């Protein structure tokens, strides 16, 4: 199955994943202008009324870009919705998304038919992230148009399955849009995702080290300085397993070796705007692919590098035939 026409403006087969606190309108706009889908979590716009302002800002800026560059229009943008009962903003945020006819809505931590129907009411596309084949089937049954396979090594709330296993199982029964997340930070890994059967790569951690990212400079530098060995996988902060930078735990007074002995906090995204935000601000998430990130640079430069690497990898493989 070919990708929907919505993705025709992409200049690289990639979607920038929505990152809590990190993703902001400036980053989304830069990603879309660079030719990949830019995205952000609705919960990043605080208070809730600010979501309308953010969407207006993104749409107006992309419209100006498209008018000035009709031959090179921007890629579409996406909004991530946490579909979990603790997110008491969900319905209000969905009303705002429907008002703006957000082209792509990414749903996480739950599949709700009413949310999917709301997006479909204006012709929008629903992508749902999953960590196993069972969740993938449930998401499609409830109306998701496409899937985001979150494999081992992904930043934030990651899965444990090999990307080869997860994509392989999904492709046995699903021929719709499929994205792959997990340690993708080079052009070669984007091509590898496609070789496994995914349509698009889903990239997050590499963009933390961008000029536009809403992250502390120390966080950005830690992404540059660290590698896969510096990541710890735990559910102790949100109730959902995720990957975090060990040095950020140490800086917060947490011994990674003792972490697994502590009692797990209950997952509650309703607290994301108050005391819970401290964990996200001080304990920094990251995927395992950061070992190839060696500098902080603008989003455009990151995407340009990925394009060069992607093309070079394709050429190298073709030369072997």
């Amino acid at each position: 199955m070919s990708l929907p026409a919505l993705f025709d403006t992409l200049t690289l087969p990639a979607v920038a994943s929505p990152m809590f606190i990190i993703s902001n309108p400036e980053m989304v706009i830069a990603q879309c202008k660079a030719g990949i889908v830019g995205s952000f979590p609705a919960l990043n716009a605080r208070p809730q009324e600010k979501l309308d302002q953010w969407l207006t800002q993104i749409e107006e800026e992309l419209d100006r870009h498209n008018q000035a560059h009709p031959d090179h229009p921007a890629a579409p943008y996406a909004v991530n919705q946490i579909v979990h009962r603790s997110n008491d903003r969900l319905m209000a945020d969905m009303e705002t998304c429907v008002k703006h006819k957000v082209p792509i809505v990414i749903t996480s931590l739950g599949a709700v038919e009413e949310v999917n129907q709301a997006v479909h009411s204006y012709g929008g596309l629903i992508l749902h992230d999953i960590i196993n084949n069972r969740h993938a089937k449930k998401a499609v049954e409830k109306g998701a148009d496409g899937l985001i396979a979150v494999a081992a090594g992904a930043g934030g709330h990651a899965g444990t399955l090999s990307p080869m296993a997860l994509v392989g199982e999904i492709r046995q029964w699903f021929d719709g849009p499929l994205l792959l997340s997990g340690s993708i930070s080079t052009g070669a890994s984007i091509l590898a995702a496609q070789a496994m059967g995914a349509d698009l790569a889903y990239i997050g951690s590499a963009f933390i080290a961008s000029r536009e990212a809403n992250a502390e400079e120390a966080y950005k530098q830690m992404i540059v300085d660290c590698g896969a060995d510096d990541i710890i996988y735990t559910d102790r902060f949100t109730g959902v397993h995720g990957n975090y930078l060990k040095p950020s735990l140490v800086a917060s007074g947490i011994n990674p070796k003792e972490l697994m002995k502590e009692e797990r906090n209950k997952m509650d995204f309703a607290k994301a705007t108050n005391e819970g935000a401290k964990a996200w601000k001080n304990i920094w998430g990251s995927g395992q692919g950061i070992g190839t990130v060696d500098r902080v640079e603008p989003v455009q430069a990151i995407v340009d590098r990925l394009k060069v690497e992607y093309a070079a990898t394709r050429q190298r493989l073709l030369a072997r035939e």
Side-chain angles (χ1 to χ4, degrees):
M1 178 179 177
S2 60
L3 283 171
L6 183 66
F7 295 104
D8 287 350
T9 56
L10 269 62
T11 58
L12 185 71
V15 172
S17 65
M19 295 180 283
F20 186 56
I21 296 178
I22 305 299
S23 302
N24 56 21
E26 290 72 24
M27 173 183 279
V28 172
I29 291 166
Q31 290 165 338
C32 294
K33 287 182 178 180
I36 67 172
V37 175
S39 71
F40 71 94
L43 289 172
N44 279 10
R46 300 188 294 257
Q48 193 280 327
E49 293 75 17
K50 198 169 187 178
L51 179 59
D52 183 71
Q53 299 173 24
W54 279 25
L55 293 176
T56 298
Q57 177 185 349
I58 292 169
E59 290 162 355
E60 290 181 347
E61 182 59 34
L62 294 183
D63 183 61
R64 282 192 290 269
H65 171 86
N66 292 343
Q67 291 186 39
H69 305 87
D71 296 330
H72 302 284
Y77 73 90
V79 172
N80 174 224
Q81 295 284 16
I82 302 297
V83 186
H84 184 267
R85 61 181 178 277
S86 68
N87 180 10
D88 55 9
R89 281 183 43 171
L90 178 60
M91 290 301 102
D93 286 343
M94 280 306 305
E95 288 180 8
T96 304
C97 286
V98 171
K99 170 187 173 182
H100 284 265
K101 297 183 179 180
V102 172
I104 303 170
V105 172
I106 298 169
T107 51
S108 307
L109 298 175
V112 177
E113 292 183 51
E114 290 79 8
V115 171
N116 297 343
Q117 291 168 358
V119 176
H120 290 157
S121 71
Y122 60 82
L125 188 77
I126 282 280
L127 301 177
H128 187 74
D129 64 25
I130 52 88
I131 61 172
N132 57 49
N133 198 32
R134 179 172 63 88
H135 290 165
K137 289 182 177 180
K138 284 187 176 181
V140 173
E141 287 172 2
K142 293 189 176 183
D145 303 298
L147 298 168
I148 302 168
V150 183
H157 295 135
T160 59
L161 296 178
S162 159
M164 289 179 283
L166 185 54
V167 171
E169 288 187 358
I170 292 172
R171 277 304 188 211
Q172 287 186 320
W173 59 272
F174 182 67
D175 65 353
L178 179 59
L179 288 66
L180 177 62
S181 171
S183 305
I184 299 177
S185 58
T186 65
S189 54
I190 294 174
L191 189 61
Q194 291 184 302
M196 281 186 277
D199 296 297
L200 303 168
Y202 199 61
I203 307 173
S205 299
F207 289 109
I208 299 174
S210 69
R211 299 293 182 193
E212 294 86 350
N214 182 35
E216 295 181 22
E217 292 305 314
Y219 189 178
K220 297 180 183 183
Q221 191 59 46
M222 195 176 289
I223 293 290
V224 172
D225 294 339
C226 290
D229 287 342
D230 299 299
I231 306 298
I232 186 171
Y233 185 68
T234 178
D235 64 353
R236 292 319 196 229
F237 304 118
T238 66
V240 178
H241 275 91
N243 283 314
Y244 301 89
L245 288 160
K246 291 180 184 177
S248 73
L249 272 67
V250 173
S252 299
I254 300 172
N255 184 344
K257 293 181 179 179
E258 297 294 324
L259 183 64
M260 302 309 292
K261 299 178 182 179
E262 299 177 7
E263 185 176 355
R264 182 177 75 178
N265 290 326
K266 291 183 179 180
M267 179 169 57
D268 189 351
F269 286 89
K271 294 183 178 179
T273 59
N274 45 61
E275 71 270 18
K278 293 180 180 178
W280 293 98
K281 287 183 178 179
N282 302 322
I283 301 171
W284 297 330
S286 174
Q288 295 176 357
I290 56 174
T292 59
V293 179
D294 60 4
R295 66 179 70 90
V296 177
E297 55 189 345
V299 163
Q300 183 68 61
I302 295 173
V303 176
D304 286 345
R305 171 179 60 80
L306 293 173
K307 289 177 182 177
V308 170
E309 293 171 350
Y310 179 82
T313 304
R314 289 188 63 181
Q315 190 62 37
R316 185 172 68 251
L317 291 177
L318 288 172
R320 294 179 180 178
E321 295 183 354

